[in-house]
Amino acid sequence: MSQVPAIELTGIDKKFGVVHANKNIHLTVAKGSIHGIIGENGAGKSTLMSILYGFYQADTGTISIDGKPVTIRDSQAAIAAGIGMVHQHFMLVENFSVIENLMLGAEGGMLLAKGTAAARAEMKRLASDYGLEVDPDAVVEELPVGLQQRVEILKAMFRGADILILDEPTGVLTPSEADHLFKILGVLRDQGKTVILITHKLREILAITDTVSVMRRGEIVATRKTSETTAEELAELMVGRRVLLQVEKGSAQPGEVYLSVRNLTVKDGRGVTMVDNVSFDVHAGEIVGIAGVAGNGQSELLEAIAGIRKPTAGEIFICGEPVAGIDPAGLRTMGVAHIPEDRHHMGLVLGFEESENSILGYHRDPRYGQGLFLDPEAIRTDASQKIEKYDIRPADCRLKTANFSGGNQQKIVVAREIERDPRLLIIGQPTRGVDIGAIEFIHRRIVETRDQGKAVLLVSVELDEIRSLADRIMVMFAGRVVGEKSPDAGEQTLGLMMAGIAA
Ligand SMILES: Nc1ncnc2c1ncn2[C@@H]1O[C@H](COP(=O)(O)OP(=O)(O)O)[C@@H](O)[C@H]1O
Ligand SMILES: [Mg+2]
């Protein structure tokens, strides 16, 4: 490809106060290619793309499109330069139809120049050229997420984009929706469009990109032809050290039943049934994973078992004892530990020092003090031991918890819950927002917990995570467990179940 690059960024630099989000970025994207940008949370990927799309202005540096320097002051200018963007959170008008959304100008006015008939014809052409089929008259909010995303892509193409940026597009998709998206991206590339795909998922990079750039701490640390790199190399570049990508684990040795759930029904705050008549068991010495697309009742199920949400019907037993209605503190004394999905609201008090969070919920334990009096020295000694064992950084238990990164905050919660030596460990999204170095560590701890004979119930929307950790996989769809599979069940089989298509 000796032609002029579609995009050339030179010396792009951006600071937010003291945070140096982009450092002297040089990036060349070939026309007609799929260029991946991979990096951990906070590496600066979205910032860089926001600069390209005109949401932010770089402090220094230049942007050239098709060899011509451009100034992109706002998204209007980006669209004029032929750039389209599919955001993490869609920017569609939900109660409008697809065609209305397409015709809606960037400033909110209808594009009257193109009449509806012309718009429909154009939409038809885009559908057949790029595989972007959607019913023009469907109301956006009634479409599944995968189709809403397709409307976003259509909208960019409708405005004449030659360059399409997608920022973490698969986070909200089922595996089969993601596959479909990748097919579309392949067609776009083959038709000469340029695609930039931002993701933290190595598998996606290897599956569909031509070239990949790795970002770490605001810098592009490497660019490779995808065919000439490996998952291991990319992971090492992302983290800055070698990481083990595959969890090493032997087969489970299940013992007696620790957790029994029978005909459990749970409603959310609005009275909508989120968990619908669910029954299952978890044995000592096994990890049971619950897979599903976010919002299918997994969170409510976990909250009910953890004593945070009251079930409306059914029973929960821990080692044969009925526990529905017992609060989290009561469950803790029965040997139930909980790593909550939403650590900012339930797992940690960010204004407290690290040592205080390291015993949160367990402060009545006599080892931390007598009666009403806590013993700060004992607490700090205990916290420092966990900091060392879990490699929590910075290694300072007096520091406010808010000053730790997301991955380290998660390790504080994981250390606290696992080190309590629970009988049953329930975990929601153990590695959401956590970088791959810390993921490796947390996964190893979860498997060790199982190998010590504890029962583990794991909910994650990352199917890969469930498949590599769980000994048995249950799939939830629309509040029900639609089936159980072994972890060797193919991704496609599980994906179909997650979409509610096959049981
Ligand atoms: N508007 C903003 N104000 C202050 N800091 C920001 C802003 N946007 C991003 N950051 C910071 O810049 C860094 C890079 O963030 P981002 O580009 O979102 O990373 P990524 O997309 O790779 O996860 C992070 O430390 C983030 O907290
Ligand atoms: Mg981002």
Side-chain angles (χ1 to χ4, degrees), residues 139-161:
V139 176
V140 164
E141 65 189 350
E142 286 164 11
L143 291 173
V145 176
L147 284 182
Q148 291 191 18
Q149 188 179 63
R150 200 177 296 173
V151 178
E152 282 263 328
I153 300 173
L154 260 174
K155 190 168 168 183
M157 292 299 130
F158 193 80
R159 293 170 172 184

Side-chain angles (χ1 to χ4, degrees), residues 344-357:
H344 283 171
H345 290 113
M346 295 195 303
L348 292 167
V349 182
L350 293 179
F352 282 12
E353 68 176 57
E354 196 278 343
S355 69
E356 295 168 297
N357 273 294

Side-chain angles (χ1 to χ4, degrees), residues 14 25 44 47 50 55 57 72 116 120-121 152 254-255 300 311 340 366 371 386 413 416 424 429 436 493 503:
K14 178 73 181 172
I25 302 278
T47 301
S50 298
F55 275 151
Q57 300 302 305
I72 303 179
T116 313
R120 281 176 192 274
E152 282 263 328
E300 290 79 6
K386 288 179 194 151
V413 179
R416 179 182 74 212
L424 170 67
Q429 316 297 351
I436 46 179
T493 309

